[in-house]
Amino acid sequence: MSISSTYLDSLTPSAIRSITAKIRDKASQGIKIDSFAGGLPAPDLFPVKELEEITVKAFQEEGGEVIQYAASDGYTPLREEIARLMKEKFDVTNITFKNVFITCGSQQGLNYISKGLIEDGDCVVCETPTYVGAIDSIKAYNPTVIGVHMDDDGINLEELEAVLRGNTVKFIYLIPDFQNPSGRSMSVEKRKQIVELAEKYDTYIYEDAPYSLISFTGNIMPAVKSFDKYNRVIYAGSFSKTIAPGLRVGWIVADEESITKLVYMKMRDDLQVNNIAQRQVYGYLYNYNFDEHLATIQGIYKERRDCMLQAVKTYFPEDTKVVVPEGGLFMWLELNPSIDTLQMFDYVFSKNIAYVPGTFFCVGEKGLNTMRLNFATLDTDVIQTKIAELGTLIKSYMEARK
Amino acid sequence: MSISSTYLDSLTPSAIRSITAKIRDKASQGIKIDSFAGGLPAPDLFPVKELEEITVKAFQEEGGEVIQYAASDGYTPLREEIARLMKEKFDVTNITFKNVFITCGSQQGLNYISKGLIEDGDCVVCETPTYVGAIDSIKAYNPTVIGVHMDDDGINLEELEAVLRGNTVKFIYLIPDFQNPSGRSMSVEKRKQIVELAEKYDTYIYEDAPYSLISFTGNIMPAVKSFDKYNRVIYAGSFSKTIAPGLRVGWIVADEESITKLVYMKMRDDLQVNNIAQRQVYGYLYNYNFDEHLATIQGIYKERRDCMLQAVKTYFPEDTKVVVPEGGLFMWLELNPSIDTLQMFDYVFSKNIAYVPGTFFCVGEKGLNTMRLNFATLDTDVIQTKIAELGTLIKSYMEARK
């Protein structure tokens, strides 16, 4: 007799975490998998020494109070730093710390907005392909999820408007910068236009922006939120990719009234975010050189992106299409239409290489011949070798099916 | 234009946090409130030095991996330690780490169970009075909440059975040890019987046990879960009162299948609990003397309980009824029926003393003449002085209303 309900019994493991589990299984048998599958940033780049120093200082200066119950909206100095960051990096002006709400990672922000907004009969719109963990989180509240195709400069606005016209869309889920999985970014012009569409069709935009600071060109785009005159955009940020994911610190930027409602949710759900993690992020932003750290990450990830791109061009079948990402962690590939990457997965995995079948990210389309590769976690020599192997495996898989 | 829905617009701040906000307001004007209102443990008892050592060691030994993404079910060594603790302290045998799920405080555990189980038309039963934060969390999912009265040895089982007979009760929310706010504990006999009732009426018990280890007699009772032959009891523990609340580490014990469903929820909601906090708790349980630490807390809280009890008997109106708590943080008082403690609050607060009006904790009854006092946070000399003042204030308030 286990707990049971329509909701509970409908839940399945997230598709990507099921791959992670397979990898862990092999690891427990002593087999090393070279994985392009994870959404992981590279742990050798985390500022471990600095976070340790900040933690020691917090314990020593604040004593027991640093681990007492604390405010549900978050640690004020951190909220202030984030408000500054939003202005400085993303042109989101006219905000104070009161517009910033600290979350347990940006996943929690999306969960709160989905739980808070979705009612019976609602639709949610997302890009297709999009982050599979977002789809899972949104679907837990039972809306109809409609995928809208992307152009190279972001979501197709004509198709979006047609969907908005015909449905009660509660919000549009967007990853405007270095999108997961496609690596694409939305043009400034589209950012302005989509805010107007949200206002016109009385809906919201959830701007999920975990990768925005990981730009390979140095160009960081103004947030969709920066064009929001109507309080139509809920912006969600995360330090998982720029500092470290295990801290579980993200944030939401919205109007004060919306923040108040989210805080009331937090009082019911889990009270507050871990105090030390909030001190760690604040201390790092305030007392260390975050920009220099970003430059390091950007440099190394760019090198790895370049390496992967070169290897894919060299070793993959000639008709492979690649979206070249200008930032973020992921490369999106379209293979020959005859290939089903989901079916091919076990064959590749038996040779100890992993990727994510692109179909996991697709909404309302199959995308069977697509795959997502993470270029951020592995060293260039491993990327070089393993992409070569993967290319050979794909070719022999195609050959065997002729 | 802020975000809006039936659900969001129904939310209000938690009653106790509204008192906390008042206290913070006065503090910002430089006025010190001696508060018996909070649910706070005493921060001078938190093992700050030890947690600092553990953190430094974790950063130095594990490097970046210690703050990488991690498993949604929790840090395995911590889950193993908790399984051991459950056997050793609460007679919950036949479990392994696979029956333990790490939560962001026990508040999150209750939120998951409420969200997971409650469906349209369901009832949830709780003790009255009970923890107001639990009522808020449960009510967010729209069940009918029915309060069942307590005897000195816990919930009244006849009244409970009548409710179970007449309603679709999804679960019974219980705090069996040193209950918040009443300080009462449930007898072993009732623990056995309530499990049978849950089985008979096809319902679950949510056993909320944050205070169980804070016993003033040395006597720690077997958990309700220890009598559970049917997987009817979901046990929720917390380190907020025994180590520190700002870490946000709690746990759930249930059958493996139920744990799996909770993990699927976590993958959607916030992925995982902060890694460092899990290392801190594990390290503290494994490498330090947790029992000695508990003995210290028990000793100091007992001294404070004794001091408050003595002062209440000396300075409060003679007809005040006190439930003497044998553990935990709270003392529950019943004053003369003519007193409305909610109405009296502002008068007492204007003299810079705070308590929680008992009516906040009551479900289906008013309890207007009751109040909850926290004896754990303040030093005995402050307790002595301020309870004397509070007693005088109550008397003069009564006098003025004659």
Side-chain angles (χ1 to χ4, degrees):
Chain A
M1 179 84 218
S2 74
I3 53 172
S4 176
S5 68
T6 311
Y7 166 66
L8 280 176
D9 301 341
S10 75
L11 299 176
T12 51
S14 90
I16 292 186
R17 291 226 158 192
S18 71
I19 292 180
T20 317
K22 281 188 183 184
I23 293 172
R24 227 182 288 151
D25 269 4
K26 282 220 184 182
S28 73
Q29 301 162 40
I31 302 166
K32 192 176 171 306
I33 296 289
D34 290 296
S35 176
F36 300 112
L40 310 184
D44 42 316
L45 299 179
F46 299 158
V48 173
K49 188 72 207 140
E50 294 84 347
L51 297 179
E52 183 193 322
E53 287 169 10
I54 295 161
T55 312
V56 168
K57 196 157 168 270
F59 275 124
Q60 292 182 355
E61 288 181 359
E62 297 188 67
E65 288 296 345
V66 79
I67 42 177
Q68 183 58 287
Y69 282 111
S72 295
D73 42 16
Y75 179 52
T76 307
L78 175 60
R79 298 167 74 200
E80 283 167 345
E81 272 306 293
I82 290 172
R84 193 187 55 69
L85 195 78
M86 292 300 302
K87 288 176 207 181
E88 205 178 283
K89 304 285 187 195
F90 306 113
D91 286 356
V92 179
T93 50
N94 292 324
I95 61 165
T96 73
F97 77 96
K98 292 184 180 169
N99 299 98
V100 178
F101 168 59
I102 307 297
T103 59
C104 182
S106 66
Q107 185 84 18
Q108 185 172 62
L110 181 59
N111 175 44
Y112 275 31
I113 294 299
S114 301
K115 178 176 168 180
L117 282 182
I118 297 169
E119 300 183 282
D120 282 354
D122 281 344
C123 283
V124 172
V125 169
C126 63
E127 296 155 319
T128 180
T130 192
Y131 167 49
V132 58
I135 308 174
D136 285 344
S137 186
I138 292 166
K139 281 193 175 165
Y141 300 94
N142 260 323
T144 305
V145 179
I146 303 176
V148 171
H149 291 91
M150 299 177 80
D151 307 316
D152 280 345
D153 65 344
I155 196 166
N156 182 300
L157 293 182
E158 287 70 39
E159 191 180 325
L160 173 64
E161 186 159 10
V163 171
L164 292 172
R165 210 179 287 123
N167 299 275
T168 307
V169 173
K170 204 40 89 73
F171 65 89
I172 304 161
Y173 174 78
L174 284 183
I175 309 171
D177 301 308
F178 319 125
Q179 201 240 17
N180 177 5
S182 78
R184 295 183 185 110
S185 291
M186 194 177 202
S187 66
V188 169
E189 196 44 43
K190 280 197 174 175
R191 288 173 197 240
K192 292 178 188 166
Q193 289 172 3
I194 201 166
V195 171
E196 297 304 321
L197 283 180
E199 173 69 7
K200 181 172 173 189
Y201 291 98
D202 189 19
T203 189
Y204 297 93
I205 294 166
Y206 186 90
E207 179 176 20
D208 196 4
Y211 314 107
S212 306
L213 291 173
I214 304 177
S215 163
F216 303 149
T217 62
N219 182 22
I220 291 168
M221 298 187 79
V224 176
K225 180 74 184 161
S226 74
F227 302 108
D228 178 20
K229 300 186 286 282
Y230 317 105
N231 292 336
R232 288 291 180 182
V233 181
I234 298 135
Y235 178 99
S238 168
F239 293 106
S240 290
K241 308 305 188 289
T242 54
I243 299 182
L247 308 181
R248 310 308 304 131
V249 179
W251 72 92
I252 275 184
V253 175
D255 60 285
E256 280 187 46
E257 200 182 323
S258 296
I259 296 291
T260 300
K261 293 177 188 179
L262 295 171
V263 172
Y264 292 166
M265 287 179 72
K266 198 155 190 61
M267 288 174 177
R268 284 155 178 80
D269 279 14
D270 61 3
L271 299 183
Q272 54 157 114
V273 171
N274 178 287
N275 296 351
I276 300 288
Q278 295 189 73
R279 298 285 190 297
Q280 286 167 340
V281 173
Y282 164 71
Y284 193 68
L285 295 178
Y286 193 78
N287 289 315
Y288 292 81
N289 198 330
F290 186 50
D291 283 334
E292 197 174 283
H293 177 64
L294 287 176
T296 306
I297 296 176
Q298 288 158 356
I300 291 173
Y301 286 4
K302 178 179 185 303
E303 206 178 295
R304 292 176 180 176
R305 190 268 324 250
D306 290 344
C307 171
M308 181 176 280
L309 190 63
Q310 191 52 49
V312 165
K313 284 185 177 164
T314 311
Y315 300 108
F316 271 44
E318 260 185 48
D319 56 357
T320 304
K321 288 180 196 153
V322 186
V323 179
V324 181
E326 296 297 339
L329 275 62
F330 304 112
M331 192 173 288
W332 182 247
L333 305 180
E334 219 175 289
L335 303 176
N336 184 286
S338 71
I339 298 184
D340 179 336
T341 59
L342 185 58
Q343 282 189 1
M344 186 175 68
F345 181 85
D346 284 340
Y347 170 67
V348 169
F349 193 68
S350 73
K351 310 292 180 187
N352 303 329
I353 298 180
Y355 60 85
V356 185
T359 190
F360 289 173
F361 304 98
C362 292
V363 178
E365 57 174 353
K366 296 273 188 212
L368 288 178
N369 60 327
T370 59
M371 64 164 63
R372 187 193 77 174
L373 299 176
N374 177 337
F375 54 77
T377 321
L378 299 174
D379 286 333
T380 47
D381 54 339
V382 182
I383 293 175
Q384 169 78 18
T385 316
K386 292 295 160 178
I387 289 291
E389 275 183 42
L390 179 55
T392 309
L393 288 170
I394 295 171
K395 285 174 184 166
S396 66
Y397 182 81
M398 282 174 75
E399 200 57 40
R401 295 167 52 84
K402 265 189 187 153
Chain B
M1 181 84 220
S2 74
I3 53 172
S4 176
S5 68
T6 312
Y7 166 66
L8 280 176
D9 301 341
S10 75
L11 298 176
T12 52
S14 91
I16 292 187
R17 291 227 157 188
S18 70
I19 292 180
T20 317
K22 281 187 184 186
I23 293 171
R24 226 183 289 151
D25 269 3
K26 282 219 185 184
S28 71
Q29 302 161 40
I31 302 166
K32 193 178 171 306
I33 297 289
D34 289 297
S35 177
F36 299 113
L40 309 185
D44 41 315
L45 299 178
F46 299 157
V48 173
K49 188 72 206 140
E50 293 84 346
L51 297 179
E52 182 192 322
E53 287 170 11
I54 294 161
T55 312
V56 168
K57 197 157 166 269
F59 275 124
Q60 292 181 354
E61 287 182 358
E62 297 188 67
E65 287 295 345
V66 79
I67 42 176
Q68 182 58 286
Y69 282 111
S72 295
D73 44 14
Y75 179 52
T76 306
L78 174 60
R79 298 168 73 198
E80 283 167 345
E81 271 306 293
I82 290 172
R84 193 187 54 71
L85 194 80
M86 291 302 301
K87 289 176 205 178
E88 204 178 284
K89 304 285 187 194
F90 306 114
D91 286 355
V92 178
T93 51
N94 292 325
I95 61 165
T96 73
F97 78 94
K98 291 183 181 171
N99 299 97
V100 178
F101 168 60
I102 306 298
T103 58
C104 181
S106 66
Q107 185 83 18
Q108 186 171 61
L110 180 59
N111 175 42
Y112 276 30
I113 294 300
S114 300
K115 178 176 168 180
L117 282 181
I118 298 170
E119 300 183 281
D120 282 353
D122 281 343
C123 283
V124 172
V125 170
C126 62
E127 297 155 318
T128 178
T130 192
Y131 167 48
V132 58
I135 309 175
D136 284 344
S137 187
I138 292 166
K139 281 192 174 165
Y141 299 95
N142 261 321
T144 305
V145 179
I146 303 177
V148 171
H149 291 90
M150 299 178 79
D151 308 317
D152 281 345
D153 65 343
I155 196 166
N156 183 297
L157 293 182
E158 288 71 37
E159 192 179 323
L160 174 64
E161 187 159 10
V163 171
L164 292 172
R165 208 178 290 121
N167 299 276
T168 307
V169 173
K170 204 39 90 68
F171 65 90
I172 305 162
Y173 174 77
L174 284 183
I175 310 170
D177 302 309
F178 320 123
Q179 199 240 17
N180 176 6
S182 78
R184 294 181 186 111
S185 291
M186 193 176 203
S187 65
V188 171
E189 196 44 41
K190 281 198 174 174
R191 288 173 198 240
K192 291 178 189 166
Q193 289 171 1
I194 201 166
V195 171
E196 298 302 322
L197 283 178
E199 173 68 8
K200 181 172 173 189
Y201 291 98
D202 189 20
T203 189
Y204 296 93
I205 294 167
Y206 186 88
E207 179 176 19
D208 197 5
Y211 315 108
S212 306
L213 291 173
I214 304 177
S215 162
F216 304 148
T217 62
N219 182 21
I220 290 168
M221 300 185 78
V224 176
K225 180 73 184 162
S226 73
F227 302 107
D228 179 20
K229 300 187 286 283
Y230 317 104
N231 291 337
R232 288 291 180 182
V233 181
I234 298 134
Y235 178 99
S238 169
F239 293 107
S240 290
K241 309 305 189 288
T242 52
I243 300 181
L247 307 181
R248 311 307 305 129
V249 179
W251 73 93
I252 276 185
V253 175
D255 60 285
E256 281 187 45
E257 200 182 324
S258 296
I259 296 290
T260 299
K261 293 179 188 178
L262 295 171
V263 172
Y264 292 166
M265 287 178 71
K266 198 153 189 63
M267 287 174 177
R268 284 157 178 78
D269 279 15
D270 60 5
L271 299 184
Q272 53 157 114
V273 172
N274 179 287
N275 296 351
I276 300 289
Q278 296 190 71
R279 298 283 189 299
Q280 286 167 339
V281 173
Y282 164 70
Y284 193 67
L285 296 178
Y286 194 77
N287 289 316
Y288 293 81
N289 199 328
F290 186 51
D291 283 333
E292 196 175 282
H293 177 63
L294 287 175
T296 307
I297 297 176
Q298 289 158 354
I300 291 174
Y301 286 3
K302 178 179 185 301
E303 206 178 293
R304 292 174 181 178
R305 191 269 324 253
D306 291 343
C307 169
M308 181 176 278
L309 189 62
Q310 192 50 51
V312 164
K313 283 184 176 162
T314 310
Y315 300 107
F316 271 44
E318 261 185 46
D319 57 357
T320 305
K321 288 179 196 152
V322 187
V323 179
V324 181
E326 297 296 342
L329 275 61
F330 303 113
M331 190 172 287
W332 181 248
L333 305 180
E334 219 176 288
L335 302 176
N336 183 286
S338 71
I339 297 184
D340 179 334
T341 59
L342 185 57
Q343 280 189 4
M344 186 174 69
F345 181 85
D346 284 341
Y347 169 67
V348 169
F349 194 68
S350 73
K351 310 292 181 189
N352 303 328
I353 298 179
Y355 60 84
V356 185
T359 190
F360 288 172
F361 303 99
C362 292
V363 179
E365 59 175 354
K366 295 276 188 211
L368 289 178
N369 61 327
T370 57
M371 65 165 62
R372 187 193 78 174
L373 300 176
N374 176 338
F375 54 77
T377 320
L378 299 173
D379 285 335
T380 49
D381 54 340
V382 182
I383 293 175
Q384 168 78 20
T385 316
K386 292 295 160 179
I387 289 292
E389 273 183 42
L390 179 55
T392 309
L393 288 171
I394 295 171
K395 284 175 184 165
S396 67
Y397 182 81
M398 283 175 75
E399 200 55 42
R401 295 170 51 85
K402 262 188 188 154

